[in-house]
């Protein structure tokens, strides 16, 4: 299978350390069970994205603040959602949203969604990340490219989302060779439409491709449910169990 070609050194043999990155759930009032489970014991959640209203919103939301506080108490990083619109957002608008996230929700970092990956805009993304880090101590920055960017982005943030999309693409995906120069904790894969029967295969792909953070769900973006990340996958307990025990290589 293509994903087994040239695996990053050391990632296929250990099968350890893979955890969850939550790209965002529905509002805590609409998905109280989801937010409660993220803070539950035994859930290996590396971080969870707080998206109030396409960003921090226009005023503090007490329900979101409470949900964020529970996650931090449970040791889960809470990341504010900043949409770069493939580089179309202004520097000032992004910093204004970042300030609101920090003031209202005390976030631990930021998820830069729809981050461009071309070499030509690397300097501007680096400028944004440098400004965000000035607000954090030290904080966690994830660049949501959704595909393999120019390799220089790996030196800019703590993690890169190098895959975001459907299982039909992920199962035949290939890892970029340059990722082998970095440890698995630098990369994240977000995959929707993963059938329960293929969950172990999906986890094996993530390990072979060197992704230390993943989010797999059986939900798909169609019909009246355009956001596949809005709720838990139907096999939440199963994936927690598998991450705790590992899968055969």
């Amino acid at each position: 299978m293509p994903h087994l070609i040239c695996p990053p050194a050391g990632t296929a043999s250990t099968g350890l350390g893979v955890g969850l990155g939550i790209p965002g759930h529905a509002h805590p009032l609409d998905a109280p069970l989801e937010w409660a489970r993220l803070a539950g014991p035994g859930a290996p959640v590396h971080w969870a994205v707080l998206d109030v209203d396409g960003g921090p919103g226009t005023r503090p939301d007490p329900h979101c603040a409470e949900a964020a506080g529970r996650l931090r108490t449970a040791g889960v990083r809470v990341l504010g959602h900043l949409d770069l619109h493939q580089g179309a957002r202004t520097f000032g608008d992004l910093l204004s949203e970042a300030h609101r996230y920090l003031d209202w929700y005390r976030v631990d970092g930021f998820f830069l969604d729809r981050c461009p990956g071309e070499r030509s805009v690397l300097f501007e993304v680096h400028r944004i990340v440098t400004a965000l880090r000035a607000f954090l101590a030290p904080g966690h920055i994830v660049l949501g490219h959704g595909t393999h960017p120019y390799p220089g982005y790996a030196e800019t943030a703590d993690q890169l989302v190098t895959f975001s999309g459907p299982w039909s693409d992920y199962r035949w995906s290939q890892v970029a060779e340059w990722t082998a120069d970095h440890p698995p904790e630098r990369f994240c894969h977000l995959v929707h439409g993963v059938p329960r029967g293929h969950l172990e295969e999906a986890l094996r792909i993530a390990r072979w491709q060197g992704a230390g953070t993943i989010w797999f769900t059986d939900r798909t973006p169609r019909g009246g449910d355009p956001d596949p990340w809005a709720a838990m996958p139907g096999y939440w307990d199963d994936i927690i169990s598998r991450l705790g025990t590992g899968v055969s290589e």
Side-chain angles (χ1 to χ4, degrees):
M1 299 178 70
H3 58 265
L4 299 185
I5 298 173
C6 299
T11 62
S13 60
T14 62
L16 299 174
V18 177
L20 300 174
I22 316 301
H25 282 323
H27 190 278
L29 286 180
D30 297 321
L33 179 61
E34 279 80 356
W35 287 96
R37 282 185 167 182
L38 295 184
V45 181
H46 291 167
W47 45 260
V49 175
L50 179 66
D51 185 355
V52 181
D53 185 17
T58 57
R59 60 179 60 86
D61 185 318
H63 303 289
C64 289
E66 180 182 2
R70 286 199 303 266
L71 288 181
R72 282 196 304 273
T73 299
V76 177
R77 290 189 184 103
V78 178
L79 307 183
H81 177 270
L82 299 177
D83 191 344
L84 268 62
H85 284 277
Q86 298 301 329
R89 297 289 305 283
T90 68
F91 183 77
D93 283 348
L94 291 168
L95 292 194
S96 176
E97 290 190 356
H99 276 296
R100 295 203 296 274
Y101 265 120
L102 289 164
D103 290 343
W104 298 344
Y105 306 111
R106 297 172 53 203
V107 295
D108 306 296
F110 296 97
F111 182 95
L112 276 57
D113 200 7
R114 292 197 286 179
C115 182
E118 298 82 10
R119 183 177 183 176
S120 60
V121 290
L122 173 59
F123 176 81
E124 183 59 25
V125 173
H126 179 74
R127 177 181 177 227
I128 293 168
V129 172
T130 299
L132 294 176
R133 289 200 187 281
F135 306 148
L136 300 165
H140 192 77
I141 304 292
V142 180
L143 300 184
H145 303 287
T147 188
H148 289 97
Y150 174 71
Y153 283 90
E155 307 302 328
T156 299
D158 298 290
Q159 282 187 304
L160 310 180
V161 177
T162 53
F163 185 94
S164 180
W167 166 244
S168 57
D169 291 340
Y170 188 62
R171 68 183 311 191
W172 306 113
S173 63
Q174 296 189 31
V175 63
E177 292 185 4
W178 63 262
T179 63
D181 297 331
H182 305 276
E185 57 264 28
R186 302 297 304 283
F187 302 105
C188 175
H189 293 170
L190 310 175
V191 190
H192 58 73
V194 181
R196 181 186 294 269
H198 290 277
L199 181 55
E200 182 170 326
E201 180 186 356
L203 289 168
R204 187 177 294 114
I205 293 172
R207 288 189 169 101
W208 274 92
Q209 292 198 0
T213 302
I214 58 98
W215 182 243
F216 297 155
T217 180
D218 49 357
R219 297 169 64 89
T220 56
R222 61 187 179 186
D225 182 25
D227 183 2
W229 320 123
M232 290 286 184
Y235 40 66
W236 167 258
D237 291 336
D238 193 11
I239 197 170
I240 294 301
S241 174
R242 289 171 185 268
L243 288 177
T245 59
V247 298
S248 58
E249 300 295 346

